[in-house]
Amino acid sequence: MAIQLIAIKGLPEVEPGADLAALICQAARAQATPLADRELLVVSQKIVSKAEGRLVDLSTVIPSPFAREIALEQKRDPRVVELILRESRRIVRMDKGLLIVETHHGFVCANAGVDLSNVGGGEVASLLPEDPDLSARKIREGIRARAGVEVGIIISDTFGRAWREGLVNVAIGVAGFRPLRSFLGMRDPQGYRLQATVQAIADELAAAADLLFGKLDRIPVAIVRGFPYEPGEGSVQELIRPPDRDLFR
Amino acid sequence: MAIQLIAIKGLPEVEPGADLAALICQAARAQATPLADRELLVVSQKIVSKAEGRLVDLSTVIPSPFAREIALEQKRDPRVVELILRESRRIVRMDKGLLIVETHHGFVCANAGVDLSNVGGGEVASLLPEDPDLSARKIREGIRARAGVEVGIIISDTFGRAWREGLVNVAIGVAGFRPLRSFLGMRDPQGYRLQATVQAIADELAAAADLLFGKLDRIPVAIVRGFPYEPGEGSVQELIRPPDRDLFR
């Protein structure tokens, strides 16, 4: 059994309004790795946000007094802090020049995913997609319409974690499959009931794709070939742990 | 650019004292995917613990009064709680029948990695390797000696996370490469200084391998082929975030 992770290269610079499904199908065909049924695609949040026009010209942002105060304390651009606050449901931690927040989607991450890098020059910030599951569904449907294949989609972003150093890529939107795989009630070869029973496959797929994404060479999409999964409806909300079940937070 | 994840099947049941490097080289050759320079191997903790004899017959464990008290409250086997406490440096959370601890290695995980499943029948618990970096180095050296190739090694286990549902596979020991890849000070194609600068590649490699491991079909080793990395000395300690830098905890 083998899984292949294939980088999709040669995508043009993505502009607001771009048809990502069309660009991905085209680029995959051009490099002779056309998409096939039951494959999965991991798509970097950056190009989804760009295609959806989730870009804000910083010169149009008027920071609130609270944003100004935090910015002063953290030595940051108050307009960026303002955007972070607008994208947030709650501040989880605020220290050492960092804002860890819970976004409106329910993700806990640094700076609410507001990003200044890789966004076509100037003073422009990119925000996370408003509804990343919907973004994923649209790409999935676009690919079905254009290439006639059923694929699973993961929109991914790199997040920090508690307890451990370094960032890892995780799923922030999914379509076409369930992001968790459950082994509840199953037994191992010795007949023992399995203890570690729910595997976050969408996050593991996102992490795997990040091995290709790199940071400098602009690879924003990867094909996962050979990973058996159960097609179906899924939502990234399944990956968000309710506070009352979360002993790690 | 493509990465291949290849399951190594056909390993025999691992017994205490087993030479894992030999078993892995043999199984890889037997399935016509012999190891090559610059590949990486992800090895499940379970077989490492077995090979190292990190197994405890529960009937030999005498629980302390504290272990008994926790066990009573959590409706668990006091001997298992005793083992968890012995493997721990500190209890992080204790609720809902779960013990989240910091192990002597510095890992924050449920039950200190003490596991009853998949360990040759009867009332036997398996513990994490005492020094997983050393375990990884030994496998690396064993493979160099037998197959004449330089590979990177990751010992992995599945951990829960804060904020998110489901378990993911992470690195608990490494050899032959640095577990973090840094982009500090680098710039993206638009000339922006990168913000997300340190990638936990060892954890992403472990997560990728878990897509093959499954839970029921006993695949404990995966080859990662085609992932460019810088060979060198590395330690899993680089993946453990010091408390004063950890805003997520």
Side-chain angles (χ1 to χ4, degrees):
Chain A
M1 184 181 169
I3 293 171
Q4 260 198 299
L5 309 167
I6 303 161
I8 297 191
K9 292 180 171 187
L11 258 79
E13 183 68 28
V14 171
E15 304 288 344
D19 180 343
L20 279 185
L23 296 178
I24 291 168
C25 287
Q26 205 168 16
R29 271 198 312 271
Q31 68 180 31
T33 57
L35 304 176
D37 278 327
R38 298 283 181 129
E39 291 181 341
L40 288 145
L41 276 182
V42 184
V43 183
S44 161
Q45 163 271 135
K46 282 189 206 306
I47 62 167
V48 178
S49 292
K50 283 187 197 173
E52 295 182 354
R54 294 280 288 160
L55 305 173
V56 180
D57 179 343
L58 279 189
S59 70
T60 66
V61 178
I62 298 164
S64 68
F66 184 53
R68 282 181 193 284
E69 193 168 317
I70 294 176
L72 194 67
E73 195 189 298
Q74 298 205 336
K75 300 190 184 69
R76 300 178 69 171
D77 186 327
R79 300 167 303 175
V80 176
V81 173
E82 174 64 28
L83 288 177
I84 294 169
L85 294 178
R86 287 185 197 169
E87 293 294 304
S88 301
R89 175 193 281 181
R90 146 178 111 83
I91 296 178
V92 176
R93 308 269 195 281
M94 205 173 88
D95 196 11
K96 301 186 212 321
L98 260 184
L99 277 162
I100 314 286
V101 304
E102 184 175 328
T103 69
H104 293 299
H105 326 86
F107 305 132
V108 174
C109 60
N111 301 327
V114 174
D115 200 348
L116 294 179
S117 78
N118 245 330
V119 183
E123 301 243 283
V124 175
S126 91
L127 314 179
L128 293 187
E130 232 168 320
D131 181 346
D133 277 342
L134 181 62
S135 310
R137 271 203 304 281
K138 281 184 180 162
I139 297 172
R140 176 169 144 76
E141 284 158 15
I143 287 171
R144 183 197 292 131
R146 290 177 174 277
V149 295
E150 299 283 347
V151 294
I153 305 287
I154 295 159
I155 315 281
S156 76
D157 196 8
T158 48
F159 281 8
R161 301 89 50 85
W163 317 111
R164 290 177 80 85
E165 282 289 351
L167 305 177
V168 293
N169 212 33
V170 298
I172 64 163
V174 301
F177 73 109
R178 304 289 299 272
L180 296 170
R181 181 158 70 172
S182 175
F183 298 92
L184 263 167
M186 295 188 191
R187 287 169 190 279
D188 72 16
Q190 274 83 38
Y192 258 82
R193 201 171 282 279
L194 292 172
Q195 299 181 305
T197 46
V198 180
Q199 185 185 7
I201 53 171
D203 284 339
E204 294 188 327
L205 288 159
D210 203 34
L211 298 170
L212 289 171
F213 285 176
K215 292 289 170 284
L216 303 170
D217 43 5
R218 217 195 292 224
I219 292 171
V221 187
I223 305 172
V224 182
R225 188 167 281 178
F227 175 67
Y229 66 94
E230 189 110 4
E233 280 303 299
S235 164
V236 79
Q237 291 300 318
E238 298 167 50
L239 284 171
I240 296 174
R241 179 164 283 183
D244 61 327
R245 278 178 37 78
D246 191 353
L247 286 179
F248 282 95
R249 68 170 64 182
Chain B
M1 184 184 169
I3 293 171
Q4 261 197 302
L5 309 167
I6 303 161
I8 297 192
K9 293 179 169 186
L11 257 80
E13 184 68 28
V14 172
E15 305 288 344
D19 179 343
L20 279 185
L23 296 179
I24 291 168
C25 287
Q26 201 167 18
R29 271 198 312 270
Q31 66 180 30
T33 57
L35 304 177
D37 277 327
R38 297 284 182 134
E39 291 181 342
L40 289 145
L41 276 182
V42 185
V43 183
S44 162
Q45 162 272 132
K46 282 189 206 305
I47 61 167
V48 178
S49 292
K50 283 186 199 175
E52 295 181 356
R54 294 280 287 160
L55 305 173
V56 181
D57 180 343
L58 279 189
S59 70
T60 67
V61 179
I62 297 163
S64 69
F66 183 54
R68 281 180 194 283
E69 192 169 317
I70 295 177
L72 195 69
E73 195 190 299
Q74 299 205 335
K75 300 191 184 68
R76 300 177 70 171
D77 186 326
R79 299 167 303 176
V80 175
V81 173
E82 174 64 28
L83 287 177
I84 295 169
L85 294 178
R86 287 185 198 169
E87 292 294 303
S88 302
R89 174 194 285 179
R90 143 179 114 82
I91 296 180
V92 176
R93 307 267 195 280
M94 205 174 88
D95 195 12
K96 300 187 211 327
L98 260 184
L99 277 164
I100 314 287
V101 304
E102 184 175 329
T103 68
H104 292 297
H105 326 85
F107 305 134
V108 174
C109 62
N111 302 326
V114 174
D115 200 348
L116 295 179
S117 76
N118 246 331
V119 182
E123 301 242 284
V124 176
S126 91
L127 315 179
L128 294 186
E130 231 168 320
D131 181 349
D133 277 342
L134 181 62
S135 311
R137 271 203 304 280
K138 281 184 182 163
I139 296 172
R140 178 170 143 75
E141 284 159 14
I143 287 171
R144 183 197 292 131
R146 290 177 173 277
V149 295
E150 297 284 348
V151 295
I153 305 285
I154 295 160
I155 315 281
S156 75
D157 195 8
T158 49
F159 280 8
R161 302 90 48 87
W163 318 111
R164 292 177 79 85
E165 283 288 353
L167 305 178
V168 293
N169 212 33
V170 299
I172 65 163
V174 301
F177 73 109
R178 305 289 299 271
L180 296 170
R181 180 157 71 172
S182 175
F183 299 93
L184 263 167
M186 295 189 191
R187 288 171 189 277
D188 70 17
Q190 274 83 39
Y192 259 83
R193 201 171 280 278
L194 292 171
Q195 300 181 304
T197 45
V198 181
Q199 184 185 6
I201 53 171
D203 284 339
E204 294 189 325
L205 288 159
D210 202 34
L211 298 170
L212 289 171
F213 285 176
K215 292 288 171 283
L216 304 171
D217 42 7
R218 216 194 293 222
I219 292 171
V221 187
I223 305 172
V224 182
R225 186 167 282 179
F227 175 67
Y229 66 94
E230 189 110 3
E233 279 302 297
S235 163
V236 78
Q237 292 300 319
E238 298 168 50
L239 284 172
I240 296 174
R241 179 164 282 182
D244 62 326
R245 279 179 35 81
D246 191 353
L247 286 178
F248 283 96
R249 67 171 62 180

